[in-house]
Amino acid sequence: MKIDILLDYNPVILALAATLFTWFVTALGAAMVFFFKSINKKILNSMLGFAAGVMIAASFWSLLNPAIQMAEQNGTTPWVPAVVGFLLGGAFLLIVDKVLPHLHMGLSIDKAEGVKTTWQRSVLLVLAITLHNIPEGLAVGVAFGALANNPDLGMLSGAIALAVGIGLQNFPEGAAVSIPLRREGFSRTRAFMYGQFSGVVEPIAGVLGAYLVLTITPLLPYALSFAAGAMIFVVVEELIPESQMGNETDLSTIGAMLGFATMMLLDVALG
């Protein structure tokens, strides 16, 4: 199927297909628990750094830059939707971060964030990954939803590049959930199920994002910027600090550089 044929499909359906792909890659990463019981800290930090780089690049190339261009085409002040949407996205994740119980990797359960709960450590670890899968799914959904008003090959290619980039960084995230759970005594099957479950929210957020953009067209530049702000919040709040744990911080930094370069290549080459 030629890529331009996809323009004939409903953007919501395309968003669903794209986020099902990103969920599938999360499951592939979680499946690494069937082959490994532990993961080298250097490798994990490198993968987390790579994920951070992908998300930073995607936030600009796939979300903020198109939002600014759309605002200019609509005759509005270009920086307004970019700045307002970006800050609202960060504020939204800040609120969710304060409310949703979750636990970052490598921390004891007394360091859990959000409202106090008696939930098990395993559930809190999964919720931490699930938390930053929300803006990832939303970003992909909004990107495909934009096709309703900009049905051109460049916009479609950019949305596909974003989905591929998010999918690439979902692989280490799936492994980062399932393998530590296996080390804590979970069976391989149960650890896998928990790991892939962290990506379930992406198709839900993707469809919601695409639908909202189709329903309220003027929100598109704000929605793109909102997704960018939410993603950057996750990078600064979670991925970078977690990737810098330990003594080999250079590896996570190199991973971030490679992740950024990979996402930039995908977006510029395809978009």
Side-chain angles (χ1 to χ4, degrees):
M1 179 185 293
K2 292 184 178 180
I3 190 172
D4 53 341
I5 296 178
L6 294 174
L7 291 170
D8 297 328
Y9 286 79
N10 187 306
V12 176
I13 300 300
L14 293 178
L16 175 61
T19 47
L20 285 174
F21 162 75
T22 60
W23 178 19
F24 173 72
V25 179
T26 302
L28 285 181
M32 291 299 100
V33 74
F34 292 108
F35 306 97
F36 306 99
K37 189 174 182 179
S38 61
I39 184 169
N40 185 282
K41 187 64 177 176
K42 295 179 181 179
I43 296 176
L44 178 60
N45 285 354
S46 299
M47 293 193 300
L48 291 174
F50 181 88
V54 167
M55 292 179 69
I56 293 171
S59 295
F60 175 75
W61 296 102
S62 298
L63 299 170
L64 284 173
N65 192 44
I68 294 171
Q69 293 177 355
M70 288 177 190
E72 290 177 338
Q73 293 170 2
N74 294 337
T76 58
T77 306
W79 60 264
V80 172
V83 173
V84 172
F86 183 84
L87 294 178
L88 286 176
F92 170 74
L93 256 291
L94 177 62
I95 294 171
V96 175
D97 186 69
K98 297 296 184 183
V99 174
L100 182 69
H102 62 283
L103 177 65
H104 297 300
M105 288 182 294
L107 299 180
S108 58
I109 195 167
D110 61 296
K111 300 293 185 181
E113 300 180 15
V115 297
K116 298 300 180 182
T117 178
T118 58
W119 292 348
Q120 295 180 348
R121 173 184 171 85
S122 57
V123 175
L124 295 175
L125 287 170
V126 172
L127 286 177
I129 300 296
T130 302
L131 176 62
H132 62 76
N133 280 339
I134 294 174
E136 293 171 11
L138 183 64
V140 175
V142 169
F144 278 97
L147 291 171
N149 296 311
N150 300 274
D152 61 76
L153 192 58
M155 182 66 68
L156 174 61
S157 300
I160 292 174
L162 176 60
V164 172
I166 295 297
L168 285 175
Q169 62 94 43
N170 274 357
F171 186 88
E173 288 184 357
V177 175
S178 63
I179 293 178
L181 292 180
R182 171 61 178 163
R183 191 170 60 246
E184 292 188 10
F186 280 59
S187 68
R188 285 187 170 88
T189 300
R190 191 180 177 199
F192 165 74
M193 293 303 295
Y194 270 84
Q196 63 83 30
F197 184 76
S198 66
V200 171
V201 71
E202 290 196 7
I204 299 173
V207 169
L208 178 62
Y211 177 77
L212 287 176
V213 167
L214 291 176
T215 306
I216 314 174
T217 303
L219 283 182
L220 181 54
Y222 290 91
L224 289 167
S225 303
F226 181 95
M231 288 176 65
I232 291 297
F233 181 92
V234 167
V235 170
V236 178
E237 167 75 8
E238 298 183 27
L239 290 181
I240 290 179
E242 289 173 6
S243 71
Q244 294 287 323
M245 289 182 178
N247 298 321
E248 300 294 336
T249 56
D250 284 348
L251 292 177
S252 55
T253 303
I254 292 171
M257 296 291 291
L258 291 176
F260 188 98
T262 299
M263 186 65 231
M264 181 170 58
L265 172 64
L266 285 172
D267 202 283
V268 175
L270 295 180

